[in-house]
């Protein structure tokens, strides 16, 4: 069964609106979760590290005011894309480090901004 | 800046063939991961290596730390092995973030 659950798997939103993506760790508590983005035919790129109870750490070039990350509990991190634009259309995926540093990925979320 | 280079970018083979995918990286790492991504986007972790060799079923992964190189092998390949295989590394010093750096992936198609 899934270790990390991500929702929604697909979402279409209008330009200028906000959309929230959830990442849940089902089998263990996760003080740290990672958010990645993948454009078509490109590598996955780390966007930010989500830290439970504190501010997320963003990678260079990722706007923290546009991609809001909240990690309010040990099992849930959310990524909110604010004021979405068509260029934000992408595949977003989260991951969690489990026992023995094994990495578990969510199912991913396809975002289309129209 | 760490670069992760994979080769080949695309590979088409016949069912039953032995497959090798290569990965090279440029800086010190704490671990190297081989991942499998299916067309729907979902990603599965196949191996995590810090040295030597690991085997799981028909998959074998090796790493040479001195040469900064890893290979993923698939024996007796099958059409269901068709996917994108991604090499990713965890850096020794994450500089604040502890996420992965990814290669661009190898698109593998196994024809019946």
């Amino acid at each position: 069964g899934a270790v990390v659950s991500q929702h929604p798997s697909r979402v279409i939103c209008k330009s200028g609106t906000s959309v929230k993506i959830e990442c849940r760790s089902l089998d263990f508590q996760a003080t740290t979760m990672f958010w990645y983005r993948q454009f078509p035919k490109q590598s996955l790129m780390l966007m930010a590290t989500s830290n439970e109870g504190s501010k997320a750490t963003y990678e260079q070039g990722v706007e923290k005011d546009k991609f809001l990350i909240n990690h309010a509990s040990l099992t849930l991190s959310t990524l909110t894309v604010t004021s979405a634009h068509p260029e934000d259309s992408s595949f977003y995926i989260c991951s969690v480090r489990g026992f023995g540093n094994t990495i578990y990925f969510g199912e991913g979320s396809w975002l289309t901004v129209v | 800046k760490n670069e992760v280079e994979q080769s080949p970018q695309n590979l088409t083979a016949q069912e039953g063939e032995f497959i090798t995918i290569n990965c090279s990286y440029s800086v010190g790492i704490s671990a190297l991961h081989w991942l499998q991504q299916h067309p729907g986007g979902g990603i599965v972790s196949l191996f995590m290596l810090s040295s030597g060799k690991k085997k799981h079923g028909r998959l074998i992964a090796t790493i040479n730390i001195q040469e900064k190189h890893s290979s993923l092998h698939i024996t007796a390949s099958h059409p269901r092995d068709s996917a994108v295989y991604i090499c990713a590394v965890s850096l020794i010093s994450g500089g604040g973030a502890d996420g992965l750096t990814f290669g661009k992936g190898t698109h593998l198609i196994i024809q019946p």
Side-chain angles (χ1 to χ4, degrees):
Chain A
V3 176
V4 178
S5 175
Q6 192 172 334
H7 177 82
S9 57
R10 292 184 181 276
V11 58
I12 300 172
C13 71
K14 291 186 178 180
S15 187
T17 63
S18 296
V19 61
K20 181 187 288 187
I21 301 169
E22 293 186 347
C23 180
R24 292 183 183 273
S25 175
L26 301 178
D27 283 2
F28 49 86
Q29 295 179 333
T31 55
T32 303
M33 294 185 179
F34 303 94
W35 286 97
Y36 301 90
R37 179 170 56 184
Q38 184 180 35
F39 291 109
K41 299 192 182 298
Q42 298 293 314
S43 305
L44 284 149
M45 296 291 291
L46 177 66
M47 296 177 67
T49 303
S50 174
N51 304 300
E52 188 269 334
S54 65
K55 291 182 180 179
T57 305
Y58 289 82
E59 292 300 293
Q60 193 173 7
V62 178
E63 300 174 58
K64 62 181 180 181
D65 294 329
K66 179 171 181 62
F67 298 98
L68 301 179
I69 290 173
N70 185 285
H71 195 153
S73 78
L74 288 169
T75 58
L76 175 64
S77 175
T78 60
L79 168 68
T80 301
V81 183
T82 63
S83 187
H85 286 274
E87 57 263 32
D88 297 324
S89 299
S90 185
F91 179 68
Y92 294 86
I93 192 165
C94 65
S95 76
V96 173
R97 284 187 184 271
F99 302 114
N101 267 334
T102 300
I103 294 179
Y104 299 95
F105 286 87
E107 300 93 333
S109 300
W110 293 94
L111 171 63
T112 302
V113 184
V114 297
Chain B
K1 179 186 174 186
N2 184 45
E3 298 287 342
V4 179
E5 300 286 340
Q6 277 186 244
S7 64
Q9 277 189 287
N10 298 283
L11 178 58
T12 300
Q14 295 297 120
E15 183 174 356
E17 286 189 39
F18 181 81
I19 303 299
T20 296
I21 300 171
N22 296 300
C23 176
S24 298
Y25 51 92
S26 56
V27 298
I29 65 170
S30 60
L32 182 142
H33 304 259
W34 281 103
L35 311 170
Q36 181 189 55
Q37 185 173 28
H38 283 279
I43 297 175
V44 174
S45 177
L46 298 175
F47 294 103
M48 183 181 71
L49 296 161
S50 54
S51 66
K53 174 180 175 179
K54 286 189 176 180
K55 184 176 188 294
H56 181 71
R58 294 180 294 106
L59 302 177
I60 303 166
T62 64
I63 188 169
N64 184 316
I65 297 295
Q66 287 73 31
E67 294 186 3
K68 296 185 171 61
H69 180 269
S70 175
S71 293
L72 176 68
H73 306 285
I74 305 175
T75 61
S77 59
H78 190 277
R80 64 175 175 267
D81 298 326
S82 299
V84 177
Y85 292 84
I86 302 170
C87 171
V89 299
S90 303
L91 303 183
I92 287 176
S93 170
D98 193 32
L100 300 174
T101 301
F102 296 85
K104 289 188 175 180
T106 296
H107 292 247
L108 174 66
I109 298 173
I110 304 296
Q111 295 177 336

